[in-house]
Amino acid sequence: MARRVEEDDALAVVLDLARADVLGDPATFAGGDLGGGLPFEQRQGCAVVSICTFNHAHLARTLFESIRAFHPTLPLVLVVADAEHRGFPDIPGVRMVSPRDFGDIDFPYAALKYSATDLCCALKPLAVRWLLATSGVRSVVYLDSDICVYGPLDLLLEAAARHRAVVVPHVREPLPNPER
């Protein structure tokens, strides 16, 4: 069920969000508040963000507890895709946010249009962009909520320091039988 991620597994899709054409102008989000009012050069650190639905709360808890074991001070953010925090179990030290916090998104339409998995996937770029636009962090690492971390994430954090965001892929090679 949970996938193992280790330091030598740090092959990741790296998004250089410094170019505005990748995800658009982040000023359109959060009322133009870029980085909590801090210029990019003054920002520091990295945050880890994940997205899950209510029924994956136990997986998100495992992810964040496993990260805390190796990185006790790293800011952690969980986007709760479908629960609006009502009844969602508290995860100590994790900031919980709703897709409605992202600003200009027709969330009710998206929630009806997509399956739970597709909704979480569709929210990934919005979550990364929103976090960069509204927090004082310099970079973001996105991890799926069904991951358990078994070692330090130093290589991912170093990649994030060189780029604006690092997103860990589901697969590292083409799937068999692409014709299917």
Side-chain angles (χ1 to χ4, degrees), residues 27-113:
T28 62
F29 277 73
D33 180 13
L34 295 174
L38 290 175
F40 182 73
E41 299 77 30
Q42 294 179 8
R43 296 188 205 178
Q44 295 183 357
C46 180
V48 173
V49 64
S50 189
I51 302 170
C52 78
T53 54
F54 188 87
N55 64 325
H56 281 204
H58 62 290
L59 296 173
R61 177 181 293 279
T62 300
L63 166 66
F64 290 123
E65 288 176 354
S66 68
I67 292 170
R68 278 281 178 247
F70 300 99
H71 303 281
T73 61
L74 197 61
L76 304 174
V77 178
L78 178 63
V79 178
V80 181
D82 63 348
E84 290 295 318
H85 313 298
R86 287 186 297 266
F88 198 90
D90 185 42
I91 304 174
V94 177
R95 179 180 174 197
M96 307 275 200
V97 298
S98 164
R100 295 178 195 273
D101 296 335
F102 297 165
D104 190 23
I105 176 176
D106 187 358
F107 181 72
Y109 173 77
L112 289 173
K113 179 178 179 177

